[in-house]
Amino acid sequence: CSSTGTAGEVNTRDVQAGLLKLVEDAEIDLDERRTSSGREPSKKRITADPDSTFNTFSTKRVLFVFCGAFTKLLADLERRGDFTASPDDLVAAGLIRELVGRLAVRVRLDALSVADLEDILAADSYVSPLRQARDEFAAYGIDFRADASAIAAWAEAAHAQKTGARGLATVVEDTLRAFKYELAGTDLGEVRLDA
């Protein structure tokens, strides 16, 4: 981790130092901000007490969740036969020690498998890109269904992108984009998709 990285990159020491201030139960003075033109921002009250003279935000009861893809660190851990990153490992991966010390719980998540991605697509949950596509088609009176072979093909394509569940939304949208716009307003009542 160096402070010479591109401004705004999370791996720069300056950005991490800024995050450190937030996770240390900070009282942030919101009136201290300036607009890009240098003028004072409008001073709208955001505190629960409208009679308060302070316009602050406390991070005392905020749960911060940090995540990242430490591919080099993962390779080092696997080479060692270890599956838990120590604070020293995270520092070696580029995080500043003061920030690592504030991260009391550290969890390693494994990449999603093709079967995991298929389960996400097949789930009747609002987070499933397939359910979202069905809902979009339904708004135009079209009953949309994808069979198991289509789900498997989407899961394989998303897995190849190595972007996890976010890749599902991309491959489903790429496949269905033209149909969404071409079929809307037609008399077509159903669409069945297979691989």
Side-chain angles (χ1 to χ4, degrees):
C1 173
S2 77
S3 59
T4 60
T6 304
E9 288 183 4
V10 176
N11 65 341
T12 64
R13 291 193 185 277
D14 292 341
V15 171
Q16 290 183 49
L19 290 172
L20 184 61
K21 291 175 187 174
L22 291 176
V23 298
E24 292 181 325
D25 299 339
E27 290 286 332
I28 302 167
D29 181 357
L30 299 174
D31 291 334
E32 206 173 88
R33 303 166 302 171
R34 299 249 182 231
T35 63
S36 59
S37 65
R39 295 185 325 251
E40 287 288 326
S42 63
K43 301 206 179 199
K44 294 183 178 177
R45 308 304 317 160
I46 65 164
T47 57
D49 179 7
D51 297 325
S52 171
T53 58
F54 301 104
N55 198 13
T56 61
F57 178 78
S58 173
T59 63
K60 185 173 187 165
R61 291 187 173 88
V62 175
L63 172 65
F64 291 93
V65 178
F66 297 91
C67 60
F70 297 92
T71 52
K72 183 180 178 314
L73 174 59
L74 179 60
D76 291 345
L77 292 174
E78 287 176 349
R79 190 182 72 255
R80 288 193 327 226
D82 193 355
F83 297 102
T84 306
S86 71
D88 288 336
D89 293 327
L90 294 172
V91 170
L95 296 178
I96 60 174
R97 189 166 298 281
E98 296 84 357
L99 184 59
V100 171
R102 303 307 189 282
L103 308 176
V105 178
R106 294 178 297 276
V107 179
R108 174 186 165 176
L109 301 176
D110 292 323
L112 295 172
S113 68
V114 173
D116 294 331
L117 295 171
E118 287 179 25
D119 290 344
I120 291 168
L121 278 174
D124 190 30
S125 167
Y126 69 93
V127 297
S128 168
L130 186 54
R131 161 108 182 253
Q132 293 170 13
R134 279 198 310 261
D135 291 347
E136 289 170 3
F137 278 103
Y140 294 103
I142 300 171
D143 179 36
F144 173 76
R145 301 280 174 220
D147 73 7
S149 67
I151 290 172
W154 278 327
E156 288 283 347
H159 190 263
Q161 291 181 4
K162 298 183 179 183
T163 56
R166 296 252 182 238
L168 290 173
T170 302
V171 297
V172 170
E173 178 64 24
D174 287 349
T175 305
L176 300 179
R177 183 177 299 122
F179 296 109
K180 287 182 193 177
Y181 299 110
E182 295 294 325
L183 300 179
T186 67
D187 292 334
L188 188 65
E190 68 179 19
V191 171
R192 300 289 180 254
L193 186 67
D194 61 28

